[in-house]
Amino acid sequence: MLGQEVSGVSYITIDINPHALRVTLETLDAHGVDADLMCVDIASGLEKRLSGMVDVMVVNPPYVLPMPDDEADNEGMASAWAGGRIGRSVIDRMLPVADRLLSDKGWLYMVTLTTMILT
């Protein structure tokens, strides 16, 4: 679906992890999809530039493993699943940003999961 030519459509992918962006670029290239890739935090100020212009936002935030923020760096693989102290740190920061980015008819699709950690 993303590879289809549609005039006036732009794709932007954002991740704070450069390794995740590299894999995303490889996937996009394999499917012939052109997108702007940005290695930034979700709360990087994009909402000023794109305020109310995003029609579809797809988010797969780190949420799997509750972990103190200082234990997962932004470049290591742990940042892919480290969700902060209660597993929602990125989600809680992203939702207000999504609210500012989405157009009046915009949709937010977010992957979520409930996990239990047994000790």
Side-chain angles (χ1 to χ4, degrees):
M1 181 174 88
L2 294 178
Q4 298 173 356
E5 289 294 324
V6 180
S7 65
V9 173
S10 298
Y11 302 107
I12 300 172
T13 183
I14 298 169
D15 204 300
I16 198 166
N17 186 316
H19 302 290
L21 279 177
R22 186 188 78 248
V23 172
T24 299
L25 178 60
E26 292 170 4
T27 302
L28 292 169
D29 285 346
H31 295 282
V33 177
D34 184 38
D36 293 320
L37 279 69
M38 303 175 76
C39 191
V40 296
D41 186 273
I42 187 66
S44 67
L46 285 175
E47 63 269 25
K48 291 179 184 176
R49 188 175 105 192
L50 300 174
S51 179
M53 297 176 61
V54 176
D55 292 320
V56 178
M57 184 174 185
V58 179
V59 180
N60 184 11
Y63 54 82
V64 176
L65 182 63
M67 175 185 292
D69 292 328
D70 60 350
E71 287 187 22
D73 64 18
N74 291 335
E75 295 186 20
M77 284 308 295
S79 66
W81 59 77
R85 188 179 58 79
I86 61 170
R88 291 184 44 104
S89 65
V90 174
I91 294 169
D92 291 341
R93 288 186 315 112
M94 185 273 314
L95 288 175
V97 173
D99 188 48
R100 291 187 292 272
L101 289 173
L102 290 171
S103 69
D104 290 339
K105 296 179 182 181
W107 284 84
L108 169 65
Y109 294 93
M110 182 169 46
V111 176
T112 60
L113 176 71
T114 301
T115 62
M116 294 178 60
I117 297 177
L118 303 174
T119 57

